[in-house]
């Protein structure tokens, strides 16, 4: 620890004061570290230690009720990547993530720009788009399970126009081709889950973009207007580039939510017929806690962690460096 | 000027259209929950109830009441403890930086993003070992520990707005680490505590994965009970909707009455703050 170095640089004439101050400051710094230490140790054990243990379980033969930690190598991982259900999970996660993030950004940014136009009742609109954020994914799942039920809900409206979507009960895969043991393409049933997730999370990106728009000084728009730019050009050339850091944050946060999503899908559809709405989070839960295949469950969990880490680690790393 | 007015009109139309779409689920939940079961038919889903009937609330409440209490026993201590620890960590990491403190912060922060599936198996084995499996106390421990990254982040960002000169001045006046904390940081922390507490309250109340894996039957929080209610064999949509509304009510009330702090929490939780 290099705690005292900065204090030594301080120049105080009276040597007695210096030594006293030096002693006190360093004692304070040790107190600070003592303050932080319990939390840091808890995180080391509960996050890093437990991840390590999960990794160890994922390499074992612990696929029974009785613990069996004998080494199995990559057997569980190889099993998963050949598994029809897990292949379907990865496909579903990919399409869910892309649709979910894309729509949350489009709607969040769109609503934010509209609300930022100094309209009457802007706080009412903001509150309406934001309130689903206060709800649990379980509540959202239970409610949308009904709203998108093929025989009720929105379908009663849509059937007036002759459209009768099957929503999450649809087993079709759009634009599919054979890939591994699954059909690769957009599972129609995923759209229903995406609608519910977008309904819930749009408020988050709306709030982020609104804060970003409020942070852009009016002089900047004025200057562009004086230069003869149209409103559309101002947004395209001035405002949208300034919102880029917010978009990056929204993508990161939505990606980590989407890659580990469990409760919304568990409450709304479960794995679905032919696993059309299954995701790794649901598979991990069912295989571990309903089937007692702990090693397989641990392997799914480690793959989920790696997927999230690909997004998060570079993001945290660049944030950390910009702080220094 | 006419075209300008048209522009405004179109903006209103778009916003109102989506606002109605966003509120449609709320309308259906309320209308359905106020109907007796025989009126909850497909044809009448969107119509108002012919008479208001609170019996589905009575049924849902009687089923969810014990779990609602569990949620309160869980969420209040877990929120307070994790906020307090977050305040201590945030204070150190913003005002008493030392060599390596940024790295320590990043190491802590990573815990916010991990899929909890990746710690779940050892977590449950650990809780079994220490005798806290299937208890509210066990869930409190879990939420306190995994709440540390976010509460630390939020308080660190919050304390970063307190000018360093204030701390320096107090140090020159002879205040120690704890003295500064007690006499300067804590009195300035009220807004920070409200924001963090609302965030933690909402998240812990709404959490499901830990709740469903760490507890069984009697100690389950309300979200697990709601999921069980909807997973039962006979589908009573009116009771389910009433149950969903009851389970969502505490966080909705927080949102309605403390919305400003709720939004600040959302923004503070987005790393850059």
């Amino acid at each position: 620890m290099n705690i005292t170095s900065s204090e030594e640089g301080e120049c105080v004439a009276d040597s007695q004061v210096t030594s006293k101050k030096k002693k006190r400051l360093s004692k304070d710094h040790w107190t600070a570290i003592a303050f932080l230490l319990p939390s840091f140790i808890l995180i080391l054990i509960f996050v890093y230690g437990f991840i390590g243990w999960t990794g160890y379980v994922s390499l074992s033969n612990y696929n029974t009720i009785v613990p069996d930690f004998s080494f199995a190598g990559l057997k569980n991982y190889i099993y998963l990547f050949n598994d029809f259900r897990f292949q379907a999970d990865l496909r579903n996660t990919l399409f869910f993530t892309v649709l979910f993030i894309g729509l949350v950004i489009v709607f969040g940014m769109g609503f934010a720009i509209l609300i930022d136009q100094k309209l009457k009742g802007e706080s009412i609109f903001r509150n309406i788009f934001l309130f689903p954020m206060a709800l649990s994914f379980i509540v959202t799942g239970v409610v949308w399970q009904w709203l998108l039920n093929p025989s009720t809900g929105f379908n009663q409206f849509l059937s007036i126009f002759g459209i009768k979507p099957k929503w999450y009960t649809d087993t079709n895969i759009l634009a599919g081709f054979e890939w591994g043991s699954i059909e690769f393409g957009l599972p129609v049933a995923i759209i229903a889950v995406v609608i519910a997730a977008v309904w819930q999370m749009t408020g988050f990106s709306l709030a982020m973009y609104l804060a970003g728009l409020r942070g852009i000084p009016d002089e900047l728009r004025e200057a562009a207007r004086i230069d003869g730019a149209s409103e559309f050009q101002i947004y395209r050339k001035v405002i949208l580039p300034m919102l880029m850091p917010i978009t990056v944050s929204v993508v990161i946060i939505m990606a980590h939510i989407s890659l580990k999503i469990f409760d919304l899908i568990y409450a709304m559809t479960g794995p679905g017929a032919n696993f059309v709405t299954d995701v790794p989070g649901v598979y991990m839960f069912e295989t571990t806690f309903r089937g007692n295949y702990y090693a397989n469950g641990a392997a799914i969990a480690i793959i989920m962690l790696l997927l999230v880490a690909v997004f998060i680690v570079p993001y945290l790393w660049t944030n950390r460096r910009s702080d220094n | 000027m006419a075209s300008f007015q048209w522009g405004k009109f179109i903006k209103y139309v778009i916003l109102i259209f989506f606002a109605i779409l966003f509120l449609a689920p709320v309308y259906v939940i309320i209308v359905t929950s106020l109907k007796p079961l025989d009126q909850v038919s497909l044809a009448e889903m969107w119509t108002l109830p012919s008479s208001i009937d609170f019996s589905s609330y009575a049924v849902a409440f009687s089923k969810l009441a014990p779990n609602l209490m569990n949620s309160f026993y869980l969420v209040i201590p877990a929120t307070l403890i994790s906020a307090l620890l977050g305040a201590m960590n945030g204070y150190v990491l913003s005002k008493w930086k030392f060599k390596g403190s940024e790295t320590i912060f990043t190491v802590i922060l990573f815990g916010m993003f991990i899929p909890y599936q990746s710690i779940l198996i050892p977590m449950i084995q650990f809780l079994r070992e220490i005798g806290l499996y299937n208890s509210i106390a066990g869930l409190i421990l879990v939420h306190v520990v995994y709440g540390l990254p976010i509460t630390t982040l939020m308080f660190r960002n919050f304390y970063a707005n307190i000018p360093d000169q204030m701390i320096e001045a107090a140090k020159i006046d002879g205040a120690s680490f704890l003295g500064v904390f007690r006499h300067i940081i804590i009195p300035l922390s009220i807004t920070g505590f409200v924001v963090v507490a609302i965030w933690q309250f909402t998240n812990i109340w709404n959490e499901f994965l830990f709740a469903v894996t760490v507890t069984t039957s009697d100690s389950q929080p309300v979200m697990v009970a709601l999921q069980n209610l909807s997973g039962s064999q006979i589908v009573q949509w009116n009771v389910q909707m009433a149950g969903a509304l009851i389970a969502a009510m505490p966080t909705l009330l927080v949102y309605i009455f403390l919305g400003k702090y709720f939004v600040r929490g959302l923004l503070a939780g987005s790393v850059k703050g």
Side-chain angles (χ1 to χ4, degrees):
Chain A
M1 297 277 167
N2 196 9
I3 295 152
T4 51
S5 65
S6 64
E7 291 141 27
E8 274 161 4
E10 284 176 35
C11 174
V12 180
D14 189 339
S15 64
Q16 213 186 336
V17 174
T18 315
S19 66
K20 226 179 141 187
K21 195 176 176 206
K22 218 164 112 184
K23 205 176 162 194
R24 203 195 67 221
L25 276 177
S26 85
K27 186 176 151 250
D28 280 340
H29 251 123
W30 283 113
T31 319
I33 291 166
F35 243 53
L36 195 59
L37 206 58
S39 299
F40 186 60
I41 291 172
L42 281 175
I43 293 289
L44 285 185
I45 296 170
F46 280 71
V47 174
Y48 297 89
F50 282 5
I51 286 173
W53 183 252
T54 304
Y56 179 69
V57 171
S58 77
L59 298 171
S60 76
N61 285 309
Y62 188 7
N63 275 324
T64 49
I65 297 177
V66 187
D68 172 8
F69 294 115
S70 58
F71 187 67
L74 292 174
K75 194 182 83 184
N76 300 305
Y77 291 91
I78 292 165
Y79 166 78
L80 280 176
F81 282 106
N82 287 315
D83 179 28
F84 174 81
R85 180 171 182 180
F86 195 67
Q87 289 184 2
D89 288 357
L90 292 177
R91 171 198 65 198
N92 298 344
T93 302
L94 174 71
F95 284 102
F96 179 79
T97 303
V98 170
L99 287 175
F100 170 65
I101 296 179
L103 290 174
V104 162
I105 286 177
V106 167
F107 283 120
M109 195 193 280
F111 294 158
I113 288 174
L114 286 174
I115 286 173
D116 195 42
Q117 307 281 315
K118 300 186 175 68
L119 300 178
K120 281 201 188 84
E122 57 173 40
S123 69
I124 298 171
F125 287 122
R126 196 182 57 221
N127 289 337
I128 289 172
F129 294 131
L130 253 165
F131 87 89
M133 281 296 305
L135 301 179
S136 158
F137 268 132
I138 293 295
V139 170
T140 303
V142 167
V143 171
W144 281 90
Q145 181 193 25
W146 193 36
L147 288 169
L148 296 182
N149 189 302
S151 53
T152 63
F154 284 120
N155 277 19
Q156 286 190 267
F157 271 142
L158 296 173
S159 60
I160 299 170
F161 306 101
I163 322 167
K164 285 183 180 169
K166 286 184 275 181
W167 297 116
Y168 53 79
T169 60
D170 201 320
T171 51
N172 284 315
I173 311 285
L174 289 183
F177 57 88
E178 291 298 316
W179 182 69
S181 52
I182 57 154
E183 201 180 347
F184 190 86
L186 170 67
V188 177
I190 281 288
I191 295 170
V193 188
V194 168
I195 290 173
V198 169
W199 178 77
Q200 171 140 19
M201 297 307 293
T202 290
F204 184 88
S205 80
L206 165 68
M208 295 271 289
Y209 280 115
L210 214 46
L213 286 168
R214 297 280 146 91
I216 296 174
D218 275 344
E219 296 88 71
L220 224 66
R221 300 177 200 224
E222 284 305 320
R225 259 181 221 123
I226 289 164
D227 288 344
S230 70
E231 284 301 305
F232 180 74
Q233 280 175 320
I234 292 173
Y235 272 101
R236 214 172 64 94
K237 297 258 170 68
V238 181
I239 298 190
L240 286 188
M242 292 189 77
L243 293 176
M244 258 323 276
I246 290 179
T247 304
V248 172
S249 294
V250 173
V251 169
I252 296 291
I253 288 159
M254 291 304 140
H256 100 269
I257 290 173
S258 154
L259 292 172
K260 65 191 187 190
I261 195 152
F262 160 68
D263 27 10
L264 174 70
I265 290 173
Y266 186 72
M268 191 172 163
T269 64
N274 230 9
F275 303 120
V276 278
T277 57
D278 199 41
V279 286
V282 173
Y283 191 12
M284 189 275 168
F285 176 77
E286 290 190 342
T287 200
T288 312
F289 300 103
R290 299 286 177 262
N292 294 315
Y293 295 102
Y294 289 94
N296 281 346
I300 298 170
I302 292 296
I303 295 165
M304 290 174 73
L305 178 72
L306 292 176
L307 288 175
V308 170
V310 167
F311 280 88
I312 294 305
V313 170
Y315 182 67
L316 287 182
W317 191 252
T318 48
N319 265 10
R320 175 186 163 276
R321 285 177 65 181
S322 67
D323 278 344
N324 283 341
Chain B
M1 270 302 156
S3 65
F4 175 69
Q5 293 297 338
W6 265 109
K8 271 218 152 150
F9 178 72
I10 290 166
K11 284 166 194 166
Y12 276 116
V13 169
I14 296 171
L15 280 177
I16 290 170
F17 172 78
F18 279 105
I20 290 170
L21 221 57
F22 265 66
L23 285 174
V26 181
Y27 170 79
V28 177
I29 296 167
I30 294 173
V31 163
T32 308
S33 66
L34 291 172
K35 286 174 185 170
L37 188 60
D38 57 9
Q39 269 190 44
V40 187
S41 65
L42 309 184
E44 289 167 296
M45 174 160 172
W46 294 89
T47 57
L48 289 166
S50 53
S51 63
I52 289 177
D53 182 290
F54 283 105
S55 62
S56 53
Y57 281 92
V59 176
F61 188 77
S62 71
K63 284 186 178 164
L64 296 181
N67 309 90
L68 270 173
M69 290 320 290
N70 286 341
S71 279
F72 280 112
Y73 294 141
L74 159 70
V75 80
I76 292 167
T79 298
L80 293 178
I81 298 168
S82 65
L84 199 65
L85 287 172
M88 290 162 59
N89 299 339
Y91 170 53
V92 174
L93 290 170
S94 62
K95 298 297 174 213
W96 294 88
K97 289 186 185 175
F98 49 89
K99 198 171 185 220
S101 65
E102 284 300 317
T103 307
I104 286 182
F105 175 60
T106 308
V107 166
I108 293 176
L109 200 57
F110 180 66
M112 186 173 129
F113 294 101
I114 58 163
Y116 292 134
Q117 284 87 354
S118 67
I119 47 86
L120 209 49
I121 294 169
M123 174 87 242
I124 285 162
Q125 288 173 338
F126 175 78
L127 288 176
R128 282 217 173 90
E129 288 291 318
I130 62 169
L132 287 182
Y133 179 74
N134 193 19
S135 72
I136 296 293
L139 262 187
I140 292 172
L141 173 70
V142 172
H143 280 293
V144 166
V145 172
Y146 295 104
L148 283 174
I150 183 80
T151 58
T152 301
L153 166 76
M154 289 168 102
F155 273 110
R156 177 182 171 275
N157 288 348
F158 181 77
Y159 291 147
N161 293 325
I162 296 176
D164 284 342
Q165 291 94 307
M166 272 178 88
I167 314 293
E168 290 305 322
K171 279 189 208 165
I172 288 163
D173 288 346
S176 65
F177 172 86
L178 284 171
V180 173
F181 190 57
R182 198 160 42 199
H183 298 297
I184 298 181
I185 299 289
I186 293 278
L188 291 173
S189 293
I190 294 166
T191 315
F193 267 101
V194 172
V195 169
V196 172
I198 286 175
W199 175 267
Q200 283 296 87
F201 179 90
T202 309
N203 274 332
I204 298 171
W205 185 274
N206 288 342
E207 205 278 336
F208 182 70
L209 182 61
F210 286 141
V212 76
T213 48
V214 170
T215 56
T216 55
S217 62
D218 283 354
S219 17
Q220 280 168 341
V222 70
M223 284 309 153
V224 185
L226 175 64
Q227 164 62 21
N228 291 342
L229 193 67
S230 76
S232 55
Q233 291 299 310
I234 310 139
V235 183
Q236 292 176 293
W237 289 109
N238 54 343
V239 175
Q240 275 191 39
M241 293 302 124
L245 209 57
I246 291 171
M249 205 38 84
T251 52
L252 276 178
L253 289 177
V254 163
Y255 174 73
I256 291 165
F257 291 109
L258 298 162
K260 192 174 77 179
Y261 301 101
F262 180 87
V263 176
R264 268 199 231 175
L266 280 189
L267 298 174
S270 56
V271 188
K272 281 265 175 176

